[in-house]
Amino acid sequence: MNRIQPVLLAFLLFFSVKNSFAQDQKGCGTPAEKSAWLIDYQAHPDHFPQRNDDTSWLFVPMTVHILGSDDGVGYYSADKAFNALCELNEDYAPLRIRYYLAQEFNYINNSAWYSHASFGPGGQMMKASNKPDCLNSYIVADPAGNCGYYWGQYDGVALSKSCVSPGDNTWAHELGHNLSLPHPFFGWEGHNNYDYSKPAPTDWDGWPVEKMDGSNCQIAADGFCDTPPDYLNYRWDCNTDGTSTVQQKDPDGVPFTSDGSYYMSYSLDKCSNRFSNEQTKAIRTNLLTQRANILYTTQAGPDIAGTSSADLIAPINNALAAYDSVHLSWEPVPGAEFYHVWISLYNIPSAKFYSQLVPGTETSIDVKANLPLNKAYRWVVIPFSKWDFCAPDSLILGKFTTANLVAANDLERIAKATLLPNPASVADGSQLSVTTSEPFTARLEVVDFSGKTVFNRPSIAFFEGENNIELPLSDFPAGVFSVILKSEKGTISHKLVVLN
């Protein structure tokens, strides 16, 4: 399933660009070793008969642990995690593999694990926090200086939150390790600054170096014959044809460039887009043999119905929120198990001011603690489920404004007044817009710099919602004026600049 459209991607990404991301500078910290399972699988494929055909889906439960500091700061945002999970399922869809959440996100406050400069704390994190009968992934600030790693001893994946952005393939790469795959340049890890203009040695650290003629492909490098030789153990960019700019030579002196299309390589994310057929078969076989106990064997849960965000009930149409709290409500979406409420100061909530996961169809937000006053907000509700992480194609936005909590009078608590345009020209005029949460009656005066009243309406009835009053600037000289609303509840005053 792929419901992420270009407009929505712009909404979700804001500053994220697929071709420039943190993993350009950081690699994978997974140890350079082959599992005993993979060695046996590649040496004795007849021991591992396929237990289903390659067209049937495998459903894999996962627990996502989101780390923060000791005081709960620094969590990777839930909406970004959902988007990353959506892309992860798109990456694995050709393998007929779909990940789903075994439980809600597990938030952990631990500064030593949140940013660990060495692998030790990461192992402690996994040992203490892994959930049984599922794959475990941890999103942290710094996984030992890497974009990510898989630690077989503790059976967990650690990911840098800077490397789980839209377009990044780090999660797909590390889960490939989790499910038995080495790098295609296996054996070259740690051999830096090699002069690739020279023929490669016949072996590195006891591992044969793969040749272009395929004569040793089953025992060299990753052991998969459909991933051609690749010796590049650093992050590298690709040409327009998807191959490396650096030419290498195999032990026989045959020149070649590396294929950057494989997720398990170190090519930049813009280059990689697949697992090979043999890699795919190994992943599926590993799940069916080593992980059979965790597979969900029945049909997947339903996708969330509809292609838009939830229909909003209230507040909408720029309603004025109460000065102390705002109550949000929306229509239920079939298939949704929880909702993500986003609030922004902008027309699209790409830069969210506030967000909250809600299990039901309504929530109340403490304005005093969470939202600046006298501001206009946009809000949207995105439905999710443990099976469906992809944001909808279109967004239904609501609008509300907050009143002035620190007002010296009750009128400012219930009403908000704006002058547009301001400054204003005599020819174009200006309009006083008053949005109120309850009706009231007030006197409207316009006073010049000397204190003289130049406009006066002694009694105006304001109704709940938005009220607009035109100011006849053609009768005003150029200058600075005070526009004043007076009622039994208090006073609101704004400066108005009038130009010729």
Side-chain angles (χ1 to χ4, degrees):
M1 179 187 62
N2 181 357
R3 290 194 272 130
I4 298 184
Q5 303 297 319
V7 172
L8 184 59
L9 271 178
F11 157 79
L12 289 170
L13 311 189
F14 200 54
F15 297 119
S16 299
V17 180
K18 182 170 184 177
N19 292 351
S20 58
F21 60 101
Q23 194 177 10
D24 288 356
Q25 303 302 323
K26 296 188 287 186
C28 166
T30 300
E33 58 186 25
K34 285 187 179 181
S35 68
W37 180 90
L38 182 63
I39 293 172
D40 188 27
Y41 168 76
Q42 292 180 330
H44 306 97
D46 55 314
H47 292 178
F48 300 88
Q50 285 290 295
R51 289 162 45 186
N52 72 340
D53 63 85
D54 291 340
T55 63
S56 61
W57 282 86
L58 303 178
F59 305 111
V60 183
M62 181 189 297
T63 296
V64 178
H65 310 264
I66 298 180
L67 275 291
S69 62
D70 289 340
D71 54 1
V73 174
Y75 295 136
Y76 192 65
S77 67
D79 61 296
K80 291 181 179 179
F82 285 128
N83 189 47
L85 283 165
C86 177
E87 290 197 15
L88 179 66
N89 272 338
E90 290 170 1
D91 292 342
Y92 275 80
L95 285 66
R96 301 288 183 175
I97 292 172
R98 184 169 178 179
Y99 297 99
Y100 67 95
L101 291 178
Q103 62 175 68
E104 293 183 8
F105 295 144
N106 181 33
Y107 290 92
I108 302 173
N109 296 342
N110 189 309
S111 296
W113 298 347
Y114 172 66
S115 184
H116 52 276
S118 62
F119 291 100
Q124 296 169 8
M125 170 183 71
M126 295 173 185
K127 183 178 180 180
S129 309
N130 272 6
K131 302 299 181 182
D133 301 323
C134 65
L135 302 186
N136 287 268
S137 293
Y138 295 80
I139 302 178
V140 303
D142 179 14
N146 302 284
C147 249
Y149 62 83
Y150 167 65
W151 198 335
Q153 178 182 355
Y154 298 107
D155 196 25
V157 163
L159 304 160
S160 168
K161 62 182 183 180
S162 65
C163 299
V164 198
S165 301
D168 289 343
N169 299 326
T170 302
W171 210 338
H173 178 105
E174 299 303 339
L175 283 180
H177 286 313
N178 196 165
L179 298 173
S180 78
L181 300 187
H183 297 126
F185 56 87
F186 180 75
W188 287 80
E189 292 92 343
H191 295 283
N192 300 322
N193 303 316
Y194 182 78
D195 184 356
Y196 292 108
S197 66
K198 298 178 180 179
T202 56
D203 67 84
W204 273 121
D205 300 333
W207 290 101
V209 173
E210 188 173 6
K211 296 182 178 182
M212 281 297 293
D213 63 9
S215 60
N216 65 347
C217 63
Q218 292 182 325
I219 61 171
D222 59 3
F224 298 117
C225 290
D226 64 349
T227 57
D230 174 12
Y231 306 157
L232 303 181
N233 63 355
Y234 57 88
R235 298 296 290 169
W236 53 273
D237 201 357
C238 58
N239 292 315
T240 55
D241 63 359
T243 63
S244 65
T245 59
V246 174
Q247 186 181 83
Q248 302 135 77
K249 291 182 180 179
D250 79 353
D252 295 330
V254 179
F256 69 92
T257 53
S258 297
D259 185 342
S261 66
Y262 301 111
Y263 288 134
M264 300 309 296
S265 77
Y266 260 18
S267 64
L268 298 189
D269 289 339
K270 67 175 184 177
C271 311
S272 58
N273 55 41
R274 66 180 178 129
F275 295 102
S276 76
N277 291 336
E278 291 183 20
Q279 288 175 329
T280 295
K281 188 173 182 179
I283 287 177
R284 288 179 60 88
T285 304
N286 183 270
L287 280 169
L288 288 164
T289 57
Q290 294 293 94
R291 306 282 186 163
N293 63 305
I294 72 170
L295 292 181
Y296 187 82
T297 56
T298 60
Q299 184 177 355
D303 291 338
I304 293 173
T307 58
S308 68
S309 55
D311 291 324
L312 307 180
I313 297 176
I316 54 176
N317 300 325
N318 210 30
L320 183 69
Y323 75 92
D324 56 349
S325 68
V326 57
H327 186 77
L328 308 176
S329 62
W330 54 91
E331 297 287 351
V333 176
E337 295 176 291
F338 42 90
Y339 300 85
H340 198 182
V341 179
W342 294 349
I343 299 177
S344 172
L345 290 168
Y346 305 97
N347 284 333
I348 55 173
S350 51
K352 295 175 296 302
F353 192 90
Y354 177 87
S355 67
Q356 180 185 15
L357 280 179
V358 181
T361 57
E362 60 181 344
T363 186
S364 292
I365 298 171
D366 187 337
V367 172
K368 294 178 288 185
N370 297 290
L371 300 175
L373 303 169
N374 289 321
K375 298 290 184 182
Y377 292 94
R378 306 292 184 267
W379 68 289
V380 66
V381 177
I382 306 295
F384 292 104
S385 78
K386 69 178 182 181
W387 287 99
D388 191 350
F389 317 119
C390 297
D393 293 339
S394 60
L395 304 172
I396 300 172
L397 295 177
K399 302 177 182 180
F400 68 87
T401 58
T402 52
N404 187 358
L405 174 64
V406 295
N409 55 75
D410 286 338
L411 185 59
E412 286 190 330
R413 297 187 190 278
I414 67 168
K416 179 180 179 180
T418 57
L419 287 165
L420 291 174
N422 187 16
S425 68
V426 170
D428 294 335
S430 184
Q431 179 176 269
L432 175 66
S433 178
V434 179
T435 303
T436 177
S437 58
E438 60 183 71
F440 67 93
T441 300
R443 177 190 187 97
L444 173 62
E445 290 183 309
V446 181
V447 179
D448 67 13
F449 186 75
S450 68
K452 177 183 176 182
T453 299
V454 297
F455 179 78
N456 178 30
R457 288 184 60 178
S459 180
I460 302 175
F462 292 88
F463 300 96
E464 182 178 349
E466 185 174 346
N467 303 261
N468 297 308
I469 301 170
E470 296 293 334
L471 297 179
L473 299 191
S474 58
D475 298 333
F476 291 18
V480 179
F481 300 84
S482 293
V483 179
I484 305 169
L485 273 180
K486 295 181 179 179
S487 78
E488 293 180 352
K489 295 180 179 294
T491 300
I492 296 177
S493 178
H494 285 289
K495 294 294 184 183
L496 173 64
V497 178
V498 177
L499 308 174
N500 286 324

